Amino acid sequence: MSRFDWDPAKNRENRRKHGISFETASLIFEDPWILSRKDLLHDDAEDRYNALGEIAAGVVLFVVYTWREEDEDETIRLISARAASAQEKRTYEEARSRAQAGDSRYRRQDRRYD
């Protein structure tokens, strides 16, 4: 089972800066077509991931998060969230179309974006 965690001050800052709360951003993890990749640009002690997911028809978000698993429970810690750029949204929509068409390279466990 997944649970979500975040810094309340960071959530307020993200809402002010991007107009998106982490409560709303967590909805992308319900998207069966979510795209996720490891963020190779950050050398933090904890691995970071970038994700693209749809929270409502036509509303795609870009979310940065960390992930850890303890005793069969996973915790997703949200770091930032914003509306996807036009290019990111196009990437998400193209991958989703391919996955829905049955292309096995784009099944959930295999989908990545660049």
Side-chain angles (χ1 to χ4, degrees), residues 3-56:
R3 74 179 193 88
F4 296 93
D5 185 32
W6 54 75
D7 179 325
K10 185 76 173 159
N11 186 26
R12 286 189 298 276
E13 179 184 340
N14 199 82
R15 225 175 322 169
R16 180 189 58 75
K17 187 174 180 182
H18 300 292
I20 298 169
S21 71
F22 289 160
E23 293 88 352
T24 298
S26 69
L27 296 175
I28 73 162
F29 295 94
E30 296 175 10
D31 179 357
W33 310 109
I34 189 172
L35 297 178
S36 188
R37 71 172 179 188
K38 188 173 179 179
D39 183 347
L40 301 176
L41 298 178
H42 283 84
D43 291 332
D44 296 342
E46 195 167 34
D47 290 337
R48 282 188 178 192
Y49 298 87
N50 299 328
L52 292 170
E54 192 172 56
I55 60 167

Side-chain angles (χ1 to χ4, degrees), residues 81-95:
R82 60 171 172 75
S85 69
Q87 177 60 46
E88 291 163 342
K89 187 173 181 180
R90 197 166 29 258
T91 297
Y92 170 84
E93 290 169 346
E94 289 170 1

